[in-house]
Amino acid sequence: MSVQTHAQAGAGAGITPAQRKSIVAACIGNFIEWYEFVLYGYFASTIAKLFFPAGDPTAALLLTFALFGVSFVVRPLGGVVFGYIGDRYGRRSALSAIILLISLGTALMALVPPYASIGVAAPVLILVLRLAQGLSAGGEWTGAVAYVIETAPAGRRAYYGSWQTITIVLGMMVASLSALLFTEVLSPAALESWGWRVPFLIALPLGLIGLYMRLRLDETPEFAQVAASGEHERAPLRATLRHDWRSILRIAALVCSPTMCTYVLLVYGPTFLATELKVPAAQAKLAGFAAMVVMMVLTVVFARLCDRVGRKPFLIAGAIWVLVTAPLGFLLLHRLSFGFLVAGLALVVIGEALMLAPQPAIFAELFPTARRYSGVGIGYNIGVVLFGGAGPLVATAIVEATQSTYAPAGYLACGALISLIAAICTPETLRRDRTFTSS
């Protein structure tokens, strides 16, 4: 079936069993990837004690989040490498290699001895494994987005694409629950000795399940057509930079606000609440968990609307929402009761959900099939490196520098302004034909 015929068929029919199976497999792999990737952030306090010299807890925590940020630095490289594989040889090959790399990197992290046993080799090994995680994360979301959007039926790209965001949130939620469970059930000594390692070791069997599912995937009809016609790019990176640099810059800026919200509020947030506002660790983690539920539900709702009214209005509305509510959200957090903690986080992530809902669809629709994996990978990962991976480190540093626990709100507002400008400059893609061409 030709791409055009496939598109026309999809426009008049619902999702087929084969499409559903493929989308589920891609999304499950995305869930596994992000469960494993963010565990490090949720166990940051424990890792700081075990793998960095004792003496200054704040310095140790800063170093821990610095390694969290360093793993993001290599994400554009992962986007380039896996983008080349995905655009040149197929989405399935890239996605299968990614899930294996992240699982091995995460499981091996659980086996690293502490600083007290092997000295400086401990943080060095953690660094190497975080770099491996960063490489795989650089290709995961973008590759899975390309796969899902190219597989989804016409007129429902935003909805099915939103499940890539949902599985990220689900992975973070499971990682958060794992951290909460082990923190509450085990004594501090047991947690530091062996308990924190168990969720990391679980990564290996999860990764094998994900690998099995992805090896059974078929290529998307769009990519198969491009490959069969010989129209795929021999140098996807060079072609993307030459033809699509404006779209790359738009994506990097659009990613700014939602990725800052994710890593400052939902990853760094529990640590911030516990260390800076002295909220009990269990309450801090539960508040973050509740905010994730709010974001997950709203993202699906907003994505359905995106397929009807367009992508651009949600990008603009979400950025404005975060710009206005970030200070209000932090004001609520400082009330310290559990209800206000949830309300403060949830208030801001409503705006994040507005921006996340259309992102997979509009990002994919900005690029042709032959350059989609590379183009989305470069733009998305540049944005995440600049505004996401640095988020916990910058938030910790500005609180320390200003001695104000309200300072991260200004940081989030600046990110929202950047994304707002980008959203205004981004074309609406809803009316573009489902047929993705290679040029």
Side-chain angles (χ1 to χ4, degrees), residues 373-398:
Y373 202 145
S374 296
V376 177
I378 296 168
Y380 178 79
N381 285 302
I382 289 175
V384 171
V385 168
L386 294 177
F387 309 112
L393 177 62
V394 172
T396 304
I398 62 176

Side-chain angles (χ1 to χ4, degrees), residues 290-361:
M292 289 181 197
V293 173
V294 172
M295 186 178 74
M296 182 175 61
V297 172
L298 290 179
T299 298
V300 174
V301 173
F302 294 149
R304 283 189 175 275
L305 294 174
C306 286
D307 280 326
R308 298 180 181 180
V309 303
R311 288 69 160 108
K312 187 169 179 173
F314 288 85
L315 295 174
I316 294 174
I320 293 174
W321 185 282
V322 173
L323 183 64
V324 172
T325 62
L328 297 176
F330 270 77
L331 185 64
L332 292 174
L333 293 180
H334 282 73
R335 298 294 297 272
L336 300 182
S337 71
F338 179 72
F340 280 112
L341 295 178
V342 174
L345 294 173
L347 179 65
V348 183
V349 301
I350 291 172
E352 182 180 3
L354 283 164
M355 290 182 282
L356 289 175
Q359 279 194 356

Side-chain angles (χ1 to χ4, degrees), residues 17 25 68 108 133 151 200 207 307 335 368 380 405 422:
F68 186 84
L108 289 174
Q133 289 182 319
T151 303
F200 285 79
D307 280 326
R335 298 294 297 272
Y380 178 79
T405 50

